[in-house]
């Protein structure tokens, strides 16, 4: 992928992740600064957890653009809040593209750190999903990704495809594009057709029948 | 302790911790993948927090058996959910043995890192308990260990016994077995006889009387 | 600042932070040990998060006084619970002084680590606020700092003043005192005059009108 294009996608993904945090924070008696923090941890939480586990400097320490992008997301929310809903599907697309890109970033960094294949997939999934988990914990809700749609599983599948492509010696660029597209398409298809995994039944109620 | 025996106990402990996460996740509109993640963080959360604080590579990055064991725990839950309740006391025993073993693992790693005695006890307790705390936070509940029974305190007591044994120059093997047994027996006795610490009264209500 | 004076303030800040955790834990069916842990994470959570992000040894591993101070705070709460409310404004003052001091500690450590200005302010704010966020998450509430008063913003402002003073080449001692005072005064004024940022309106309800 060409450099400038990657950065553009990464900023759009950060923007969309931040907006998703700010939107969920709205109507919960949270002030502007709190909304900024929720948006920020949604956008950088996954990568920060990955960097802590890999024992490298958290990526945002080296570059202020993630904090600035989140600020832009907050201002955009305050200025255009009515319009944000008309943009809903565009934002969902950014969010999904961000998910795909973040997953690949996590995988690539883990490969460079010399980690085994399955750990790379775990790190990609962590990069894509942990921000949303922290967002939901801070807003006092059971994390959405445990409950709905295909989300983390799309990251895992994208990771699997990544290594399948590597196995067949595809060039890195192509591999990254195919893997990111897998995450994105799986997520779009899952949301469009309401695909989701079965839920775990209440084991405790079940036991009363015995 | 002989190597294979330790690994067996560790896997049983991981299995029991994972099951405890999956069971608590059931009936909360959480899908299979979410249940797997909750089971996983219950099993590996404490050791991961310890390794982050000690600034070493998280233990599960080096060995996939924890992820696999959690997968087995999920499959076992789905296949045998009715029977899991008949196995309840067996699982509780595994869980308690796991608590004792995890505590000792945390203490031993901290001693090897050259930490002071009281930090080793803290790290042992963190290894044994933080997984359950993260599980409860993700499921949007006040962590159980703050509320009920003797749990973390059993880890602290086991840690104290560990260093008492070391003080008297007992061999490491014997010290580990005695300390782990202390954790296990204290926990079993506390649950059997409903021993628990007093709860903290509501300070705010009290103040209204003044 | 003279060394002994700084340590005294730090212990008072730790004590006040621990008390704030223990008070919030009261009346939530939490036992004494749980209250101790909640008090402890309130007091050391911010500095621990900062040290994990900076990849240095968590500060409390090197010094047991934070654990001991929290123990004193628990005992004081149990012994003097009725009186604690008469001391309410004194404790609030400690808490605010602690916030100011913790923020400056975070900034100073980050400067020594060679981090850019804006990262130092972020680390100061993290040091001052994350303990309270973890406390609220463990007690299953939306973190207070997202909802009320000027709190994290006072840390950010104090950080800005710190670097303004540095820019004018004020001596480090004077800079630290001015910056800490900024945090403290802003917080006191905000609470006294009920100053707070606007809250984010419910975006979802808004959308129904469209």
């Amino acid at each position: 992928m060409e450099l400038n294009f990657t950065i553009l996608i990464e900023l759009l993904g950060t923007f969309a992740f931040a907006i998703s945090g700010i939107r969920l924070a709205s109507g919960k008696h949270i002030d502007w600064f709190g909304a900024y923090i929720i948006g920020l941890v949604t956008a950088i939480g996954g990568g920060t957890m990955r960097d802590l586990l890999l024992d490298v400097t958290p990526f945002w320490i080296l570059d202020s653009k993630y904090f600035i992008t989140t600020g832009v997301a907050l201002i955009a929310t305050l200025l255009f809040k009515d319009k944000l809903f008309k943009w809903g599907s565009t934002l969902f697309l950014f969010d999904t593209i961000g998910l795909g890109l973040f997953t690949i970033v996590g995988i690539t960094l883990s490969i460079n750190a010399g980690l085994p294949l399955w750990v790379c997939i775990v790190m990609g999934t962590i990069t894509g999903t942990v921000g949303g988990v922290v967002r939901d914990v801070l807003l006092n809700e059971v994390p959405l990704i445990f409950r709905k749609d295909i989300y983390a599983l799309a990251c895992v599948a994208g990771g699997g495809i990544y290594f399948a492509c590597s196995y067949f010696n595809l060039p890195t660029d192509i591999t990254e594009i195919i893997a990111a597209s897998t995450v994105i398409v799986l997520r779009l298809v899952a949301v469009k057709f309401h695909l989701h995994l079965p839920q775990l039944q209440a084991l405790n109620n079940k036991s009363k029948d015995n």
Side-chain angles (χ1 to χ4, degrees), chain A:
Chain A
M1 286 186 252
E2 214 217 298
L3 191 66
N4 290 342
F5 182 66
T6 309
I7 289 179
L8 181 67
I9 295 284
E10 198 180 355
L11 287 183
L12 286 178
T14 302
F15 182 82
F17 270 49
I19 292 271
S20 92
I22 294 166
R23 280 175 72 172
L24 271 168
S26 74
K28 296 213 165 188
H29 306 290
I30 284 174
D31 67 23
W32 291 0
F33 192 86
Y36 177 80
I37 301 294
I38 303 270
L40 187 66
V41 297
T42 309
I44 70 170
T48 304
M49 174 59 83
R50 176 202 63 219
D51 290 344
L52 286 176
L53 292 171
L54 295 183
D55 199 18
V56 299
T57 305
F59 68 100
W60 49 266
I61 285 185
L62 309 169
D63 192 336
S64 60
K65 69 169 180 270
Y66 306 98
F67 279 60
I68 293 169
T69 303
T70 303
V72 173
L74 179 63
I75 293 167
T77 309
L78 294 173
L79 290 181
F80 306 114
K81 56 190 157 208
D82 298 335
K83 298 217 179 71
L84 271 183
F85 286 86
K86 294 176 193 157
W87 300 346
S89 55
T90 310
L91 283 172
F92 171 69
L93 196 64
F94 288 172
D95 187 277
T96 304
I97 293 172
L99 182 71
L101 187 89
F102 286 7
T103 304
I104 304 309
V105 168
I107 290 174
T108 309
L109 288 172
S110 306
I111 291 174
N112 294 345
L115 293 169
L117 190 153
W118 69 274
V119 175
C120 296
I121 297 178
V122 169
M123 291 297 167
T125 307
I126 286 174
T127 308
T129 61
V130 165
V133 171
V134 178
R135 173 198 67 203
D136 294 343
V137 165
L138 290 177
L139 293 174
N140 204 12
E141 292 180 357
V142 173
L144 202 64
I145 70 155
F146 298 156
R147 291 183 284 140
K148 256 181 64 176
D149 304 329
I150 303 293
Y151 198 98
L153 211 55
C155 301
V156 174
I161 293 291
Y162 187 101
F163 286 101
C165 292
S166 298
Y167 182 79
F168 291 110
N169 288 315
L170 293 189
T172 307
D173 291 15
I174 307 292
T175 296
E176 288 180 7
I177 291 171
I178 293 178
S181 305
T182 303
V183 178
I184 294 164
V185 170
L186 268 181
R187 173 92 182 111
L188 293 178
V189 168
V191 169
K192 175 132 186 96
F193 296 102
H194 304 288
L195 301 182
H196 51 76
L197 290 173
Q199 289 188 348
L200 199 63
Q201 288 175 296
L203 297 175
N204 295 324
N205 293 344
K206 203 89 186 173
S207 71
K208 284 177 193 159
D209 306 336
N210 293 343

